[in-house]
Amino acid sequence: MRTLTSKLFSKTSPLLHRLRRNPLPLPLPFLLSGKTLIRSIHDYSSNPNPNPETLPSRFLQPIPTNSPPSPLASDTEEDANMNEFLSRFVYSIRGKISEAYPDLPRDTRDSMLLIICQNVIARLDPAAAASDEPPIDLSEDLWKTILDVSASVNEAMRRDRVRAELRKYLHCDEVKQMCRFAGEVGIRGDFLRELRFKWAREKMEEVDFYRELERMREQAKKEEDIEKGLIEVSEKPKITALPQRKGKIRYKIYGLDMSDPKWAEVSERLEEAEKHVVPEEARLVVGRSKRVEDRIMDLDPEKDDLKPVFKEFEEALSARRVDWLALLDRIKEHNEDLYFKAAELLLDEQTFNPSTRDYTKLIDAHSKAGRIQDAERTLNKMLEKGIQPDVLTSIVLVHMYSTAGDLNKTKEAFEKLRQENFQPDLRVYRSVITAYVNAGMPKQGETLIREMEEKGVKPTREIYLQVLRAFAGSGQVDGARRIVCAMQFAGIDPDLESYKPLIEAYSQAGDPDQARGHFDDMMRSGIKPDDHCTASMVSAYGKKNLLDKAVDLLLKLEKEEFKPGVATNAVLVGWFGKLKLLEEAELLVKKIKESGEELPLEVHVSLCEMYSRAGNEQKARQSLKILEGRNNVMKGDQFERVVSGLVAGRLLNDAKRFYDVMQERGFTLSESVKVGLMAAQSIPRHESAKKKIAKDGW
């Protein structure tokens, strides 16, 4: 086939060479025009040696007696209709070949197209092809396909011509006048559009009718003149040879001279680029490869070894990268655990040819599944092979370590992004701010918000609220006020979610007056407080032991049909416990249980402290047992309250055990409580001292 192709190229013009290389539909000027191609090919297919007298007149040249054949018309003349037909014809034939032989390489299909063109040329010009080697004969089915394609192309061109002509009549004055009249009488929309097309078609048919009448009149007049002898009829010229085209073929597409040799180079570069842009198709998994794939799907990722089966799959399918990727997708749909093991195994497969993006994709999948150790192992394998993480990998690492709560590694991945001169987007900033907030460093989160504003990245409402809640939880009033001001400058209107952290911040700082001021501002703005907001306000009064103001607040809210919820009752339980109002505290606890809600952790802390100081060891140990089971969610101040209450109630063994749990969590006691615990363990107390402690508190 390669030898035949080279021969064909040596016998054809440079345009056929470009036809082989260029995927665009280029014309074959050796063929006939669109109007006569169907009939001519049919004549030549039935008669290998056609009679020149049966050829179309535009391809025949009259040769006078004893005179040499005249050349064809000027090479510079362009036939737009012929070029359009040939362009569509070659494009359709190329598609038929690709559809019939999808597995053949592109070079082979282009060579087949060349052979078809060479046979058509040989049928049209047998005299020119006599000196060359005879081309390969085409089958009857192939010639039938050529005729079908020619018919479809002619029909498409006819439809385009009708549309173009109809478009002309759509804008004629007569149709416009009728549409204007229809609009005046109230016809609108789709109905008017249908009428406009109907009138345009009628106008076109009318013009065609009179045009045909004019042609018939001229034909009849010509025949009448011939009968009267007014017109002499010349003898039919004898045809002795077919015309030969000389010079270079010129063909233009949208003003570009495609006969220029530079387009051959462009087509070759495009063909190379297609290999990188157009994705390959995976091979069909059938037969032996299908059986091997079924065995892969049945493997246990924890027990079975995937390497032998993957090796067998590679041999059965001659797997390429696209085949491995298709297999991974099917494994992921079937078994996610098996997918992780298979994807990690393919990173060492040479035929898979892993890239940085494959490592990044696997790290991201591990991260979303919560498999941080597996993600880090994949990252280490990537570094061992000398592949440095790119920007996308660093972004995935920022999200992963932020979700895992590892602030140091989050900062490390974020700094690497900055070193790459990458402008972090909103998601990256949000992940880093979340890491700072979870680590109890809202000040650094606020700094990143300022950086976002300077670089034109607009922080969202959720980011502001996240940092605001962090400031409020640690009682940093100044930071909370700065965030509220930044939200106002950003055009974010205050609502309940922004008022609650600010009131909580003042409550944590022990400033009930400022907290009440913002609470009243919220009420005047028409925003009704919820249970959490009211609990923060009551807690602020509780720190100053302003019971009368707390009662006044609750009575005022009760008039507005507000009912204290679990959060408010939990604060009141702790307050009543400090005031030794055991019955009132137990009544509130019973009320919370009757509401169907589970007792919050803060209530158990208050009960344990209250019962310990009251000397009720049984109930104190019951609450302590609940707290030991939930110590992983306790805060440092809650640990200190429990230890302080146990020491005050002389439950020293329980206090020491809970203090050890507190140290394991990484919290430390204040100096006063630590000294009290050490003193209680070293100095035994009399019964009277116990009663005094139970009465007055620690």
Side-chain angles (χ1 to χ4, degrees):
M1 180 64 70
R2 189 179 301 273
T3 305
L4 176 60
T5 304
S6 61
K7 290 182 179 180
L8 290 175
F9 274 116
S10 62
K11 300 174 184 178
T12 55
S13 67
L15 182 60
L16 286 180
H17 177 74
R18 291 194 298 276
L19 177 62
R20 181 182 181 272
R21 292 295 184 187
N22 198 331
L24 296 174
L26 297 178
L28 296 178
F30 309 99
L31 299 178
L32 298 179
S33 67
K35 296 181 179 179
T36 57
L37 180 62
I38 300 177
R39 185 187 56 191
S40 302
I41 292 180
H42 180 270
D43 295 340
Y44 296 140
S45 61
S46 60
N47 185 9
N49 298 315
N51 185 356
E53 296 183 358
T54 62
L55 292 177
S57 60
R58 68 186 304 271
F59 283 87
L60 301 180
Q61 181 179 4
I63 306 299
T65 308
N66 301 327
S67 61
S70 62
L72 195 62
S74 175
D75 294 337
T76 60
E77 294 181 359
E78 297 178 356
D79 190 340
N81 291 333
M82 183 188 71
N83 284 344
E84 181 182 1
F85 172 80
L86 295 175
S87 177
R88 298 189 184 199
F89 177 77
V90 173
Y91 180 79
S92 301
I93 285 292
R94 185 189 297 275
K96 294 288 185 180
I97 295 176
S98 301
E99 181 181 354
Y101 304 98
D103 298 331
L104 292 180
R106 181 168 182 169
D107 291 345
T108 305
R109 295 199 300 267
D110 289 346
S111 300
M112 296 171 66
L113 182 60
L114 266 175
I115 293 173
I116 293 175
C117 298
Q118 190 72 6
N119 274 266
V120 173
I121 295 170
R123 291 292 180 91
L124 295 176
D125 192 359
S131 59
D132 301 331
E133 294 182 7
I136 299 176
D137 292 335
L138 302 183
S139 63
E140 295 182 0
D141 293 337
L142 183 53
W143 279 109
K144 184 177 181 299
T145 302
I146 294 175
L147 296 176
D148 294 341
V149 170
S150 302
S152 63
V153 169
N154 271 325
E155 178 63 21
M157 291 180 62
R158 186 194 64 79
R159 288 196 302 267
D160 291 345
R161 285 195 297 270
V162 171
R163 291 193 190 101
E165 193 171 357
L166 182 62
R167 192 179 300 112
K168 180 178 65 175
Y169 289 108
L170 283 172
H171 299 284
C172 70
D173 295 337
E174 185 177 345
V175 174
K176 286 183 179 179
Q177 184 177 1
M178 296 173 69
C179 290
R180 194 178 301 112
F181 175 77
E184 291 176 356
V185 299
I187 300 177
R188 297 286 189 277
D190 295 338
F191 185 39
L192 179 60
R193 182 174 178 272
E194 292 178 3
L195 287 177
R196 185 177 181 181
F197 275 92
K198 177 177 178 296
W199 294 330
R201 282 193 298 269
E202 291 176 352
K203 181 64 176 178
M204 182 178 65
E205 292 172 358
E206 180 183 355
V207 172
D208 291 341
F209 174 74
Y210 285 109
R211 187 183 299 159
E212 182 65 19
L213 286 180
E214 182 66 21
R215 188 192 65 79
M216 294 172 61
R217 186 185 68 79
E218 293 179 355
Q219 182 67 21
K221 183 178 179 182
K222 183 178 179 180
E223 293 177 356
E224 184 179 352
D225 292 341
I226 293 175
E227 292 178 359
K228 293 180 180 180
L230 299 178
I231 300 177
E232 296 182 359
V233 181
S234 59
E235 297 182 359
K236 187 175 181 180
K238 296 182 179 180
I239 306 301
T240 59
L242 291 174
Q244 294 184 358
R245 187 151 191 164
K246 299 181 180 180
K248 293 184 177 180
I249 301 168
R250 302 182 62 84
Y251 179 68
K252 290 184 178 181
I253 296 180
Y254 299 109
L256 295 177
D257 188 4
M258 303 305 295
S259 59
D260 195 325
K262 69 179 181 181
W263 295 109
E265 301 176 1
V266 172
S267 65
E268 292 179 358
R269 292 198 297 269
L270 285 175
E271 187 176 358
E272 292 296 329
E274 282 182 352
K275 298 179 181 179
H276 303 282
V277 177
V278 180
E280 296 182 275
E281 294 183 0
R283 295 189 177 98
L284 293 177
V285 181
V286 293
R288 179 189 173 193
S289 57
K290 179 62 177 176
R291 292 192 294 271
V292 176
E293 180 179 328
D294 294 339
R295 288 169 51 195
I296 293 175
M297 298 299 180
D298 295 335
L299 293 177
D300 187 350
E302 300 295 334
K303 301 178 181 179
D304 298 328
D305 185 11
L306 271 66
K307 288 184 179 180
V309 189
F310 270 41
K311 186 67 176 177
E312 187 176 352
F313 181 82
E314 177 189 355
E315 295 175 354
L317 193 63
S318 299
R320 305 162 298 167
R321 173 180 171 81
V322 64
D323 301 317
W324 288 120
L325 290 175
L327 176 63
L328 281 180
D329 292 338
R330 293 191 291 270
I331 293 177
K332 188 174 183 179
E333 294 177 359
H334 178 73
N335 189 335
E336 189 173 6
D337 293 334
L338 183 62
Y339 164 76
F340 287 124
K341 187 173 181 180
E344 191 168 351
L345 178 63
L346 286 179
L347 295 177
D348 299 325
E349 180 64 40
Q350 292 182 355
T351 56
F352 182 64
N353 191 20
S355 62
T356 307
R357 196 64 58 246
D358 297 315
Y359 286 95
T360 303
K361 185 177 179 181
L362 183 56
I363 292 173
D364 187 33
H366 280 308
S367 172
K368 292 179 179 178
R371 306 161 66 108
I372 307 301
Q373 295 181 352
D374 296 333
E376 290 182 338
R377 184 177 65 252
T378 304
L379 178 62
N380 293 332
K381 181 183 293 187
M382 177 181 177
L383 296 174
E384 289 174 0
K385 292 186 176 181
I387 303 176
Q388 294 299 322
D390 58 0
V391 171
L392 290 179
T393 308
S394 299
I395 291 175
V396 170
L397 293 178
V398 168
H399 297 320
M400 180 182 72
Y401 289 128
S402 174
T403 305
D406 193 333
L407 178 61
N408 293 329
K409 292 186 177 180
T410 303
K411 290 166 59 179
E412 181 181 348
F414 186 65
E415 289 301 324
K416 185 170 180 61
L417 281 177
R418 286 178 168 175
Q419 293 173 4
E420 296 286 344
N421 295 325
F422 173 75
Q423 172 61 46
D425 59 1
L426 181 62
R427 292 183 65 247
V428 174
Y429 275 118
R430 183 170 55 210
S431 297
V432 180
I433 291 174
T434 301
Y436 278 121
V437 168
N438 293 338
M441 302 170 65
K443 179 64 178 176
Q444 284 73 9
E446 182 186 5
T447 303
L448 284 180
I449 289 179
R450 299 284 184 265
E451 181 181 324
M452 292 172 65
E453 293 172 346
E454 292 174 358
K455 294 186 177 182
V457 182
K458 186 177 180 180
T460 62
R461 183 190 196 90
E462 288 72 19
I463 292 178
Y464 281 117
L465 291 177
Q466 190 178 22
V467 179
L468 179 59
R469 294 189 188 104
F471 277 124
S474 58
Q476 301 183 41
V477 177
D478 294 337
R481 292 177 59 184
R482 289 195 301 270
I483 295 298
V484 171
C485 292
M487 292 176 66
Q488 293 176 352
F489 281 117
I492 301 176
D493 296 330
D495 59 355
L496 180 61
E497 295 301 323
S498 60
Y499 273 112
K500 282 196 301 184
L502 187 59
I503 296 173
E504 183 183 355
Y506 283 110
S507 175
Q508 293 286 343
D511 191 347
D513 294 334
Q514 289 288 342
R516 183 58 184 269
H518 289 286
F519 189 87
D520 292 339
D521 290 341
M522 180 184 67
M523 296 283 290
R524 284 191 292 269
S525 300
I527 303 174
K528 294 184 178 181
D530 62 355
D531 185 45
H532 182 80
C533 186
T534 306
S536 298
M537 196 64 243
V538 173
S539 177
Y541 285 129
K543 285 182 170 56
K544 298 296 182 179
N545 205 20
L546 301 174
L547 185 58
D548 54 342
K549 292 188 176 181
V551 173
D552 179 68
L553 174 65
L554 292 176
L555 291 176
K556 181 179 178 181
L557 293 176
E558 187 177 358
K559 293 179 181 179
E560 298 182 4
E561 299 181 354
F562 173 80
K563 293 182 180 180
V566 176
T568 304
N569 289 331
V571 174
L572 291 174
V573 168
W575 195 354
F576 291 163
K578 292 179 182 178
L579 297 176
K580 302 292 180 30
L581 302 175
L582 271 67
E583 293 182 1
E584 288 77 0
E586 290 177 346
L587 184 62
L588 289 175
V589 171
K590 182 179 179 181
K591 186 177 180 180
I592 294 174
K593 291 181 178 179
E594 289 176 353
S595 66
E597 299 286 343
E598 184 181 357
L599 291 179
L601 180 65
E602 185 67 24
V603 173
H604 291 293
V605 172
S606 300
L607 291 177
C608 183
E609 181 185 14
M610 181 181 68
Y611 288 132
S612 298
R613 293 182 183 277
N616 193 336
E617 297 183 4
Q618 181 179 1
K619 291 186 177 181
R621 286 194 170 95
Q622 288 178 355
S623 299
L624 180 63
K625 186 176 181 180
I626 295 175
L627 293 175
E628 287 177 343
R630 301 174 62 181
N631 69 83
N632 58 328
V633 295
M634 291 181 63
K635 300 178 181 178
D637 61 328
Q638 294 174 336
F639 274 106
E640 186 162 333
R641 286 176 56 190
V642 173
V643 174
S644 176
L646 292 173
V647 172
R650 297 298 293 174
L651 300 175
L652 301 181
N653 293 332
D654 297 324
K656 181 64 173 63
R657 186 178 70 255
F658 208 69
Y659 174 61
D660 294 338
V661 175
M662 179 180 179
Q663 287 182 319
E664 291 177 359
R665 287 286 314 280
F667 299 111
T668 57
L669 281 174
S670 62
E671 289 298 327
S672 59
V673 179
K674 186 182 296 185
V675 171
L677 177 60
M678 295 173 61
Q681 289 176 333
S682 59
I683 302 175
R685 298 192 177 186
H686 298 288
E687 189 67 26
S688 60
K690 293 182 181 179
K691 293 180 180 180
K692 188 175 185 304
I693 291 173
K695 181 179 180 181
D696 300 334
W698 176 257

